[in-house]
Amino acid sequence: MKRHLRAFVLPLFSTLALLSATSAPAQISGPPPAQEKPVEYQLPNGFTVIIKPDRRAPTAVHMVYVRVGSMDEVDGSTGLAHMLEHMMFKGTKDVKPGEFSRRVAALGGRENAFTTRDNTGFYQQIPASRLEDVIKLESDRFAHNQWPDDEFKRELEVVKEERRMRTDDNPRAQLFEQLSAEAYMASPYRRPVVGWMSDLDSMQADDARNFYKRWYVPANAAVVIAGDVDVAKVRQLVDKYYGSIPAHAVPTRKPREEPEQHGIRRLDFKAPADQSYVALAFKVPQLRNFDNSVETNDALALTVLGAVLDGYEGARLDRALTQGPDRVADSVSAGNGLSGRGPQMFTMTGVPAKGKTPEQVEAALRAEIAKVARDGVSEAELNRVKVRWVAGEVYKLDSLMNQARELGGNWIVGLPLDADQRLLDRLRAVTADQVKAVAAKYFGDDQLTVGVLRPLPVDPNRKPRTPTVQIHHE
Amino acid sequence: MNTLFKWAAPAFVAASLAAPAHAALPIQKWQQASGAQVFLVESPSLPIVDVELDFDAGDRRDPADKAGLASVTAEMTSKGLLARDGQPALDENQLSEAWADLGAGFGASAGADRMSFTLRSLTYPDLLPKAVALAARQLGEPSFPENIWERERQRLSASIREANTRPGTVAGRAFSQAVYSGHPYGYETTEESLSHISVADMKEVYKLVQPCRAKVSIVGAVNKAQADQIATALLARLPAGSCTPLPAVPEVPALKAAAERDIPFQAAQAQVLIGQPGYKRSDPDYFPLLVGNYILGGGGFVSRLSQEVREKRGLSYSVYSYFNPGMHAGAFTLGLQTRPDQAAQAVQVSRDVLRRFVAEGPTEAEMKAAKDFMIGGFALRIDSNSKLLDNLANIAWNDLPLDYLDTWTKEVEKVTAAQVKAAFERKLQPDRMVTVVVGAPVASTRQ
């Protein structure tokens, strides 16, 4: 599983002259690289298809995004979306367990998959001439995934090892797991993507089969193809293989809205570590579309605020907290969630410097926000983060994978095909006054959850932890 | 093959004398008056240029009591610039602001062998010269401020103390010490070694960063004349120096006997590392070892180790093997993590897979699968400017032939199962390996 904190959706290139910032330290004024536009359409069975030709090299990326992630699970069955992601490699009627990966490797391809709160994604990077082979394989497992129970049992043990590796032996990851559980009460964002260990212990093969039947339906998925491809030819292949999958209704989703928070929440997490660690999570509005609502404008301004605080080396937070003789932190971070299928947070973190406490770091982080709320930000800072975004749009074109990821990621949250360009345009229009206003509006106590990692000494002679349930192997 | 690379400017072929006539990937190479060697792949379709400058000033030249010197020296080059030629001094924040304002980036780091500097910039005419000029100042006139080094030392020490609370760090340290037997490849940066490093030490190390020692790799929307200008400008502010040969670094000694270390640790998973010194990058067995390790433990879900440890037994999320060849014999490493109570089983299975592979070599079916993957997927190794830069710098650093990428698939194709078996038998001795297990009593109770 690869989990992504979508801190910021990188926007695509648009026009090149920057806003009329008179004190602009630099301008990016060259011509944008010529790009073929992506094409999006729907198959009769509801499958969304997105094709983005990019002919720099004879390779292609083929991805399937399914709009199902851990947020679509229910209590007691956490980790199911991710477990199913693993089982998708375990075969179909025609492809035996393990055979999928062997065939992709034989094509010279690389492959993997990932699950997040919002989606499950599968991808292959291949020589463009082998596109049909992976379309055939991927559409087959989307429609016909099946495997015996013993494959499920073994893979479940692999997933538990994955949880131990990523979370149980990583105190900061555990802190974030608990921070989500504390910040959200009703939203399914409260639960870890990989699942609680006791839910994994009790998970059954049929749980995964039922989840698969329910959510892996054409109208709940998109295929994204980027690379050295001809749109008309790709359409033929996609129509043939994905178009022949029978349509099914997408199940109704329950809203499960998070009730409004009215007061600060705090948690301490104790674990063997040397440094303490503090994370602040403020609930903020999210970007759902590009309308002119307060919610949209504030989400955009919060993203600019995050970049002004931590968008480049030596930005405000670094300068204020990690430098100077009385520095309070060894490292700091800030960023806005911006968009997702569920509620978003603006997060700030810090590692206290030697002799400083998490409480001092928390106060210093909040003081920086208060300073923006009081004094605003300079045009030079604003311009600087925007220049970086514009340049980042060109650099991003160097990677096919990034292009495909972005198109799929936008589809998952319901944003249009040209979301990146619109996002960049809107971000560049954010003013210093808007940044100042959101700094004053969203950073009180009422929407805040604070998590602190309190270090325990490492006792090398203590016995290893034992698993919650004894596992029997064949 | 020659239609493979659409970004190679067609006009260039006529202009270049250095590249072979029908190269799949035309590399131009020339030497500057300063002695710097420049390597270029033109990639005109995006307005980007990537540059890597490599110097023989990596960690392997660290004094034993100052482990980490090369790395911290590289890191400190971003902490401020001296005033020179009418240009004002810049502190660390002014410098990072200047980079942000250009939408460009410049980084420095040290690996085991090389100290490397990388520039990425847009090629727009109003931006590129400014980015190159700033990079040249940073390369040529870092100020190495004392007070900032003091702060960085504190930060690094704190992160080392934090890392020491993690089982993976503990395992890696023990493994390096046992495999490298005191060779600089096994040096670990510690709080103590950092306490011995002064700014004067950094300035001394930095004397190795001279134009005559530079390997400059350039990929992007620039022609040879522009690339030459960029290389010249980047190196112009460094002292010329005489570039006398550097002292030789000793080779990694072979292990004399197996070594087993069980280290108690409270953790959810045991960390397992098994290995020994591997081989040098210049080893003639390079291709058989590359193909063989893909089959053994380098091939993701389809490798033998992954099949036996993960797929058949569900023992681990990740199990892998790799060689790390450099100027000296970098380690062969087999690694995994697993629940403590099944660590003994995982170690046993891994050792069996390894021993059998060394004794018997790969099957013909495995050879075919490996070649299908490596040859079929060759284009994926070079389908972006950043991947091209990695490849170009590899060719430059290791003095590989300029047609290395053109002949790579042929070299892979030529490898036989017998060659893989022979190469693994020469390089690996399963009965003389280091086994480190952190968090479960296993290593010393084997066999």
Side-chain angles (χ1 to χ4, degrees), chain A residues 147-164:
Chain A
W147 27 262
D149 282 8
D150 70 310
E151 287 290 339
F152 178 86
K153 283 178 194 151
R154 280 198 298 272
E155 197 61 24
L156 190 55
E157 297 310 308
V158 170
V159 167
K160 290 180 195 173
E161 293 299 342
E162 186 178 357
R163 185 188 153 86
R164 290 182 189 109

Side-chain angles (χ1 to χ4, degrees), chain A residues 1 26 29 31 56 59 90 105 108 127 154-155 161 169 228 274-275 313 319 323 330 384 395 398 460, chain B residues 6-7 93 96-97 101 103 120 124 126 155 162 268-269 311-312 317 339 342 376-377 383-386:
Chain A
M1 177 189 61
S29 57
R56 303 181 63 226
T59 64
K90 296 300 179 182
R154 280 198 298 272
E155 197 61 24
E161 293 299 342
D169 272 343
D228 187 11
D274 188 74
Q275 295 176 299
E313 211 180 318
R319 205 173 289 202
Q323 299 183 5
D330 276 349
R384 186 168 296 135
Y395 299 139
D398 195 29
Chain B
K6 304 181 177 185
W7 54 74
N93 294 323
S96 58
E97 281 176 0
D101 288 340
R120 171 165 264 199
Y124 300 139
D126 55 341
R155 284 174 61 169
E162 177 61 38
Q269 284 185 316
E311 303 299 318
K312 286 193 190 161
Y317 175 67
R339 215 173 64 213
Q342 57 195 14
D383 67 354
S384 69
N385 288 4
S386 57

Side-chain angles (χ1 to χ4, degrees), chain A residues 1-2 13 16 25-35 55-60 82 86 89-90 98 101-102 104-112 125-127 130 151 154-155 157-162 164-166 168-172 228 272-276 312-315 318-319 322-324 327 329-331 354 380 383-384 387-388 390-392 394-400 453 457-465 467 469-471 473-474, chain B residues 3-7 43 45-50 78-79 92-94 96-106 120-122 124-127 130 148 150-152 154-167 191 263-271 294 299 301-302 307 309-318 337-342 345 368-370 372-388 439-441:
Chain A
M1 177 189 61
K2 298 178 187 170
F13 218 90
L16 286 147
Q27 302 269 321
I28 292 180
S29 57
Q35 290 292 303
R55 301 170 190 280
R56 303 181 63 226
T59 64
H82 171 244
H86 278 240
F89 290 83
K90 296 300 179 182
S101 297
R102 270 193 291 278
V104 174
L107 299 171
R110 292 150 198 268
E111 48 136 15
N112 215 323
Q125 297 168 280
I126 37 148
R130 314 318 281 272
E151 287 290 339
R154 280 198 298 272
E155 197 61 24
E157 297 310 308
V158 170
V159 167
K160 290 180 195 173
E161 293 299 342
E162 186 178 357
R164 290 182 189 109
M165 187 180 86
R166 291 185 193 276
D168 297 345
D169 272 343
N170 184 338
R172 290 181 194 175
D228 187 11
D274 188 74
Q275 295 176 299
S276 53
Y312 53 97
E313 211 180 318
D318 248 346
R319 205 173 289 202
T322 73
Q323 299 183 5
R327 65 201 186 81
D330 276 349
S331 65
K354 197 175 182 185
N383 197 53
R384 186 168 296 135
V387 167
R388 282 175 59 85
V390 173
V394 184
Y395 299 139
K396 195 176 56 192
L397 296 174
D398 195 29
S399 163
L400 271 189
L453 170 64
V458 178
D459 177 0
N461 294 314
R462 224 167 113 183
K463 280 196 163 178
R465 287 178 223 149
V469 172
Q470 282 302 316
I471 311 299
H473 285 278
E474 64 267 48
Chain B
T3 58
L4 230 117
F5 303 99
K6 304 181 177 185
W7 54 74
S43 175
S45 69
L46 294 178
I48 302 174
V49 66
D50 287 283
S78 67
K79 302 303 179 191
E92 57 177 329
N93 294 323
Q94 291 166 324
S96 58
E97 281 176 0
W99 281 117
D101 288 340
L102 290 168
F106 187 68
R120 171 165 264 199
S121 173
L122 300 174
Y124 300 139
D126 55 341
L127 282 177
K130 291 180 190 161
I148 304 237
E150 196 43 53
R151 179 194 78 204
E152 290 302 302
Q154 289 170 16
R155 284 174 61 169
L156 287 167
S157 296
S159 71
I160 287 170
R161 285 194 299 273
E162 177 61 38
N164 286 341
T165 69
R166 295 181 199 136
E191 282 188 82
I263 301 173
F265 209 93
Q266 183 201 1
Q269 284 185 316
Q271 307 282 327
Y294 171 83
F301 298 131
V302 299
Q307 283 298 309
V309 176
R310 174 176 161 149
E311 303 299 318
K312 286 193 190 161
R313 296 176 178 83
L315 291 171
S316 183
Y317 175 67
S318 160
Q337 310 83 25
T338 189
R339 215 173 64 213
D341 62 299
Q342 57 195 14
Q345 186 194 359
K368 181 179 184 311
D372 284 349
F373 171 77
M374 295 172 82
I375 296 167
F378 176 74
L380 290 169
R381 293 171 181 259
I382 48 173
D383 67 354
S384 69
N385 288 4
S386 57
K387 291 183 196 175
L388 275 173

Side-chain angles (χ1 to χ4, degrees), chain B residues 106-159:
Chain B
F106 187 68
S109 64
D113 294 332
R114 349 173 196 175
M115 187 179 289
S116 305
F117 301 82
T118 53
L119 169 68
R120 171 165 264 199
S121 173
L122 300 174
T123 53
Y124 300 139
D126 55 341
L127 282 177
L128 181 58
K130 291 180 190 161
V132 169
L134 187 60
R137 286 194 70 195
Q138 189 166 333
L139 194 62
E141 292 130 29
S143 55
F144 295 116
E146 292 274 0
N147 58 333
I148 304 237
W149 166 233
E150 196 43 53
R151 179 194 78 204
E152 290 302 302
R153 172 155 50 201
Q154 289 170 16
R155 284 174 61 169
L156 287 167
S157 296
S159 71

Side-chain angles (χ1 to χ4, degrees), chain A residues 304-319:
Chain A
V304 177
L305 172 63
V308 167
L309 292 172
D310 188 32
Y312 53 97
E313 211 180 318
R316 280 192 177 219
L317 283 190
D318 248 346
R319 205 173 289 202

Side-chain angles (χ1 to χ4, degrees), chain B residues 265-347:
Chain B
F265 209 93
Q266 183 201 1
Q269 284 185 316
Q271 307 282 327
V272 175
L273 292 170
I274 300 171
Q276 66 175 78
Y279 64 95
K280 293 162 75 161
R281 180 62 182 79
S282 57
D283 196 295
D285 281 338
Y286 178 80
F287 279 100
L289 292 164
L290 189 70
V291 174
N293 189 63
Y294 171 83
I295 296 166
L296 173 62
F301 298 131
V302 299
S303 75
R304 273 200 195 186
L305 281 167
S306 195
Q307 283 298 309
E308 296 298 323
V309 176
R310 174 176 161 149
E311 303 299 318
K312 286 193 190 161
R313 296 176 178 83
L315 291 171
S316 183
Y317 175 67
S318 160
V319 56
Y320 55 84
S321 69
Y322 65 93
F323 289 97
N324 194 16
M327 309 283 277
H328 310 281
F332 165 79
T333 307
L334 187 167
L336 63 90
Q337 310 83 25
T338 189
R339 215 173 64 213
D341 62 299
Q342 57 195 14
Q345 186 194 359
V347 167

Side-chain angles (χ1 to χ4, degrees), chain B residues 52 54 114 217 281 286 388-400 404-405:
Chain B
E52 176 169 333
D54 290 313
R114 349 173 196 175
S217 302
R281 180 62 182 79
Y286 178 80
L388 275 173
L389 183 70
D390 283 349
N391 278 291
L392 189 60
N394 174 46
I395 288 167
W397 182 253
N398 292 300
D399 297 319
L400 300 174
Y404 178 72
L405 292 172

